[in-house]
Amino acid sequence: MTVTIWHNPRCSKSRQTLDLLKSNGVEPAVREYLKEPPSKAEVEKLVALVGGDPRALIRDGEAEFKALKLKKADLTTAQIVDAIAAHPVLLQRPIVVKGKHAVIGRPPEAVLPLLK
């Protein structure tokens, strides 16, 4: 089964997670989402695959988020999807996807159960 990492090479956690995957014998497909931005449908799928609180997928410390003048606690799933699709830098990173499951790699070791 293919493992995909939604990756930002400038992010230390993303690099650490990629290294962790490789050190565990996984050669993932790498999706550099800032170079290849996700569609709304792809963001919706990531939200579903990660499960839990969809606000975990959005980075509220970014200038782009502040410019939207939104409060993370008040966001609906639709607003989260729209914001990430319009501003991919807001996507939490890294996200590792395997089959019907996905995990945010913060900390990088959080992805290890996905590999079993």
Side-chain angles (χ1 to χ4, degrees):
M1 184 171 296
T2 301
V3 174
T4 302
I5 182 171
W6 287 68
H7 181 60
N8 178 348
R10 295 186 62 189
C11 171
S12 64
K13 295 293 183 206
S14 196
R15 290 191 309 270
Q16 290 169 10
T17 302
L18 181 58
D19 290 343
L20 182 65
L21 291 171
K22 289 180 177 183
S23 71
N24 278 273
V26 176
E27 193 60 48
V30 177
R31 171 77 180 265
E32 287 192 38
Y33 62 90
L34 294 178
K35 289 183 180 178
E36 186 184 344
S39 66
K40 277 181 67 171
E42 288 176 308
V43 177
E44 288 169 344
K45 184 175 180 182
L46 281 177
V47 168
L49 292 174
V50 170
D53 186 350
R55 289 181 291 254
L57 269 77
I58 196 159
R59 298 175 56 84
D60 61 346
E62 299 290 337
E64 288 84 349
F65 186 83
K66 290 175 176 41
L68 295 174
K69 300 189 187 297
L70 299 172
K71 289 188 177 182
K72 188 173 182 176
D74 297 335
L75 292 175
T76 66
T77 301
Q79 288 174 310
I80 291 166
V81 168
D82 288 344
I84 292 171
H87 307 279
V89 72
L90 298 180
L91 181 64
Q92 187 58 268
R93 61 197 183 244
I95 297 176
V96 176
V97 179
K98 180 181 177 190
K100 296 182 181 183
H101 302 284
V103 177
I104 298 170
R106 289 186 170 266
E109 295 77 21
V111 305
L112 291 175
L114 191 64
L115 303 180
K116 294 180 180 174

